[in-house]
Amino acid sequence: MLIFPLKPQQASTFSVAWDHLFYFLTAITVFFSALIFAAIFIFAIKYRRRSKDEIPRQIEGNLKLELIWTIIPALLCVVMFVWASRLFIENSIPPAASTEVFVVAKQWMWKVQHPEGPREINDLHVPVGVPIKLTMTSEDVIHDFAVPAFRIKRDVVPGMYSTEWFEATSTGRFHLFCDQYCGMGHSHMVGWIDVMPQDEYARWLTSQMQAEPMAAAGQKLFNQLGCDSCHAQTGPKGPSLRGIVGQTIRMQNGQTRLVDDAFLREAIIDPQPIAGYPNVMPTFQGQVSEDQILQLIAYIKSLGGPPERKGTKP
Amino acid sequence: MSTATVEVPALPEVHYLNVNYGWRSWLFTTDHKRIAWLYLVSITFFFVVGGVAATLMRLNLIEPQGSLVEPATYNKLFTVHGLIMIFFFLAPAVPTVLGNFAIPIVIGARDVAFPKLNLLSWYLFIAGGGVFLYAVISGGVDTGWTFYTPLSTTYVNTNVLSAAMGIFISGFSSILTGLNFAVTIHKMRAPGMTWFRLPLFIWSMYAASLIFILAMPVIAITMVLIMLERIFHVGIFDPALGGDPILFQHLFWFFGHPEVYILILPSMGVISELVAAFSRRRVFGYSFVAFSSVAIAVISFLVWGHHMFVSGQSIYAGLVFSALSFAVAIPSAVKVFNWTATMYQGSVSYDAPMLYALGFIGLFTIGGLTGLFLASMAADIHLHDTYFVIAHFHYIMVGGAVMGYLGGLHYWWPKMTGRLYPETWARLSALIIFVGFNLTFGPQFILGYLGMPRRYAVYPPEFQALNVLSSAGASILAVGYVIPLIYMIWSLRYGPIAGPNPWGAKGLEWETSSPPPTHNFHETPIVTEEAYAYGARQEAHVA
């Protein structure tokens, strides 16, 4: 109990770059705090009141000093801003070759689906050295997927998909925390990221025999819910979904929309009329869970289409 | 403590405290000085309630599995602690106690511009506080002080409505107080008290008043929207009803970030007074310090999105908010440098208010600099919603705002009561508070860096050592807060008579008797010199 760490584990590519920025900010903080503390101590001792009626010489101010201690901090702020913003932007774009994993948060657990089929709760198995892109949503309140060892964190918001990515650099088990207060069981919404060697991960995937790939589960749902009656092939009521992912389509209100995960989710929950088709699609809100929507999307994506655009829009 | 005078000072025969007696003379008073006392008693009560909640939290966190309460109770504790400390202690502390007491005297006025409105503000505050306490006693509320949706509107079963109503009502108290002060500072200044002769406390209070007027309506409206969604299921924030949960965060922080400057700006003003009085020096770079308050007030309305870098806000919005957050750091830094420079070649005494002021400068510096981590978009990713944030804002809110409040209370106490508190005890408690504070919140910076999330009732065992250290520090801090409570009550009866100007300080408040007469001055003062005119004026010194 007496020994405690002073530094979090460093287990992702981003954590290295993040720590450099953190050390820089810490150095600035220590330097200026030391400067102010030293000045206070020296002035307080050197210029202590020596007699009751002492009146010191009055100094009005000094424009040159004011400019110096405005401009130097301002320049340092510019450096911090540029450094931190660049790092943030770089980190917000997952590499094109990322492996996708889907996360659905609910009070108070993390549900994970791998495209190959395995599902996990409060646990995420990933291979080391491979960029992993998480597509996340929530069934109820706002949660937050945070892995301190990877220095990543992103709110998981109901009604939308948020994404984050990481590439683990060492194997092991790392804490997954919910960082956005989500109600009574918030502090129990804790899980693990299991980073495995790549071959071991491949064995783990195949060992999950009971698992059905997400796309296959999605296809079943697609037929079960009757999606196929309008969308199996292009007909009067709706377009075929073959190859639709990644395309830009025109809505009846004149907007154009990119068909991506977020659009497909919206089209299932809250469909808006598409140009050239009648406004007949019903909403499936309440009939499909967030997990099932992700399976439907996985199936629609498996139907082919232009490769997904690099990254996702911010 | 008295300067220049050798004869033993005596209390004036008639002053605002003994002019009449009985509960009516207090509860129906329109004297700004008596209203200040009404607030002092009320917010001290709320400080104790919020402090008890904090104590229970720190006790619970001694053990990883939670040593005292269930998570559901812990969640209520941090919610109540946050809401009480922000809305019912810190926001009113300096403005309604020190501001109410000192502003009219410092500017040479007989009272505030609207004395009856001033009393109404207190009644609204008590009504809001009462409704909020009802929410606490009848089961509590567990949304966190931030009321994030859809948790607060759809999912929790606690007293969200009455808590929101309490905040809604007390918001009007703040709006009216801000309005009253702004008008008072505009219209009630004594002859010759020009804007640039105003003590910097007044500049800070003016800036804070503007924020009160502009930001408090936003939280009131937001609370109404929460109630609408909770009662009538109007889809505003809950996506299941067609609302947008991020919209709530925009509304909340559009109020919330200016709010934190409401908490700190008045204390900054107090520090300017203290550093000048106990260095016997005009505040270095007076106009820079004055305008930095205004700059902070203006920019504070444009930084709210830095609470939302990882919440799903667009990157472009994030960039703008990050840049503006760095911009608001500059005027704060300017203040710190100027306060420090004021001591240079001054005549520095170590009276208790000055110890609080020095503590403020040091702790606010650390709090401000660690704020830069959170204004940096990338650094915020890992630190957001961890104990690093908790430590950062407690350095500002407790290390800054509370130290400023206590410093100002000690500074004006002889004026408010006519009596001195025991100086040795006061210095000792200032020191205990400084040490206890750093032991409590210093370890939390490391906890946050290690990744411990905030608002966790239970936590992984690797975080225990630092949590124990923090809880130990909190017990020292608590002792530091109890001592002044005791000796200040003691001093009301037994304190030595202070005399009109125990500090040898400049300023109109030190030219009238202690305690002052009901109308503050027997003759309207005429101001002929700048603020802090210690000694003969000399030409601006160029180093």
Side-chain angles (χ1 to χ4, degrees), chain A residues 25-99:
Chain A
L25 292 168
T26 306
I28 298 243
T29 300
V30 170
F31 174 78
F32 278 99
S33 301
L35 186 77
I36 294 294
F37 274 77
I40 288 176
F41 270 106
I42 291 169
F43 292 171
I45 291 165
K46 192 165 171 195
Y47 305 117
R48 68 185 176 276
R49 187 167 300 169
R50 283 156 208 273
S51 74
K52 251 185 187 177
D53 303 325
E54 181 181 58
I55 293 292
R57 196 169 55 90
Q58 297 298 305
I59 303 173
E60 182 68 18
N62 183 321
L63 182 64
K64 209 159 72 180
L65 268 177
E66 298 287 348
L67 289 176
I68 288 172
W69 65 44
T70 304
I71 291 170
I72 290 179
L75 289 176
L76 283 169
C77 281
V78 170
V79 174
M80 291 182 243
F81 170 72
V82 171
W83 185 343
S85 301
R86 282 188 58 169
L87 188 59
F88 186 93
I89 292 169
E90 282 166 24
N91 184 60
S92 64
I93 304 165
S98 299
T99 300

Side-chain angles (χ1 to χ4, degrees), chain B residues 85-100:
Chain B
M85 288 305 199
I86 299 258
F87 289 102
F88 299 104
F89 173 68
L90 274 174
V94 174
T96 64
V97 178
L98 303 178
N100 250 326

